[in-house]
Amino acid sequence: MKYIKPTKFSYLPKFLMPLDVLGLLERDPFGNSLLVRRIMIGIVGWLTYARYTVVNRIQIEGTENLENLPINNVLFLSNHQTYFADVIAFFQIFCAVKWGFQNTMLPPVYLLGPRARQYYVAASETMSKGIIPRFFALGGALTIERSWRAEGREVKREVDTSANDKIAQALAHGWVVSFPQGTTSPYAPVRKGTGYLIKNNEPIVIPVVINGFRRAFDKKGLRFKKRNTLLTVRFKEPLQFGPDETVDDIVAKVRHAIEQDAPTWVRQNPSD
């Protein structure tokens, strides 16, 4: 991991920033208020808390791997099962860890002071469809244009070259959640952009493996499909990368860490 001094931004001139002891006028690298973000994360957290703890049951493992992390340059890489339910669960857990909770979201007092330096990577088309996604975007979405998929179909278009710069800025400021497969389909390939991102920024990389979200919620993660489902979130130890590892080596290591190596039956039936 390469040490990067955490960035700090404010609506105040630099010489007045020390006066804002409560951080009420802090902003992120993209000009968004951290106070507004805390409020948004708190509201969404309270509205969705019962979805994980009452309607369904959440089992969390490995938050001891998060307790001593720096406040920035940490990249969480996870398999993906719904558009929003996964991310909301992660943000709740991050806030709980900030308050000293270990492997639990009970009780939700941590939502009184949510963690603001957290982001998630999302497709711009997903975040622009409707009021709810736009509302969720205020909680820290890093929107990117996918070059390989649009409107549920495979496409080929120019790579969004601003995406890695945007994620690098977010890493310098806080924690970033990314879904390196870029789709909710299981066993999809990990995109090489993730390998370049890791090689160029050298963040601490925490693999995450989730399960149950696809059974419990619809694809967007907003409606229930099956109640009383066990939702599991497992944070693994940080991945270690050698200086001589290639992008392909990094991609393979990430794919294995998030347990998305395709089983034999998937490799034999790629069109299913």
Side-chain angles (χ1 to χ4, degrees), residues 82-106:
T82 72
Y83 291 168
F84 300 115
D86 313 4
V87 170
I88 294 171
F90 288 163
F91 273 31
Q92 294 232 25
I93 294 168
F94 295 163
C95 295
V97 169
K98 173 190 171 184
W99 277 58
F101 290 37
Q102 190 175 83
N103 293 329
T104 185
M105 290 165 53
L106 297 169

Side-chain angles (χ1 to χ4, degrees), residues 92-218:
Q92 294 232 25
I93 294 168
F94 295 163
C95 295
V97 169
K98 173 190 171 184
W99 277 58
F101 290 37
Q102 190 175 83
N103 293 329
T104 185
M105 290 165 53
L106 297 169
V109 293
Y110 54 82
L111 292 172
L112 298 174
R115 192 180 194 280
R117 288 178 175 242
Q118 51 193 20
Y119 303 84
Y120 62 99
V121 180
S124 58
E125 64 184 67
T126 301
M127 305 311 296
S128 61
K129 292 180 178 178
I131 296 176
I132 293 178
R134 292 177 188 274
F135 181 77
F136 286 165
L138 297 175
L142 301 172
T143 56
I144 64 171
E145 293 285 347
R146 294 185 296 184
S147 60
W148 67 93
R149 194 170 180 84
E151 303 293 337
R153 300 187 303 273
E154 299 296 324
V155 299
K156 287 185 178 181
R157 59 189 179 194
E158 290 187 10
V159 175
D160 182 1
T161 56
S162 68
N164 276 4
D165 292 338
K166 191 182 295 185
I167 297 171
Q169 285 182 282
L171 282 170
H173 188 251
W175 292 359
V176 175
V177 174
S178 180
F179 302 98
Q181 295 166 283
T183 175
T184 57
S185 299
Y187 307 118
V190 169
R191 298 291 163 178
K192 282 193 175 183
T194 298
Y196 286 109
L197 181 69
I198 293 171
K199 202 165 183 65
N200 294 337
N201 295 281
E202 299 180 34
I204 294 176
V205 178
I206 305 291
V208 192
V209 178
I210 63 173
N211 201 11
F213 289 80
R214 186 178 286 112
R215 289 191 297 273
F217 306 104
D218 67 353

Side-chain angles (χ1 to χ4, degrees), residues 7-12 23-35 117 119 173:
T7 52
K8 185 174 182 179
F9 304 89
S10 175
Y11 293 112
L12 293 172
L24 299 179
L25 296 177
E26 275 194 74
R27 60 180 180 86
D28 68 14
F30 314 104
N32 304 303
S33 168
L34 293 191
L35 176 61
R117 288 178 175 242
Y119 303 84
H173 188 251

Side-chain angles (χ1 to χ4, degrees), residues 9-53:
F9 304 89
S10 175
Y11 293 112
L12 293 172
K14 193 170 183 179
F15 70 95
L16 292 178
M17 286 172 60
L19 299 179
D20 185 21
V21 293
L22 297 178
L24 299 179
L25 296 177
E26 275 194 74
R27 60 180 180 86
D28 68 14
F30 314 104
N32 304 303
S33 168
L34 293 191
L35 176 61
V36 171
R37 179 172 301 165
R38 288 189 181 95
I39 293 172
M40 301 303 292
I41 292 173
I43 291 172
V44 172
W46 286 109
L47 290 175
T48 60
Y49 179 76
R51 297 161 63 88
Y52 304 106
T53 59

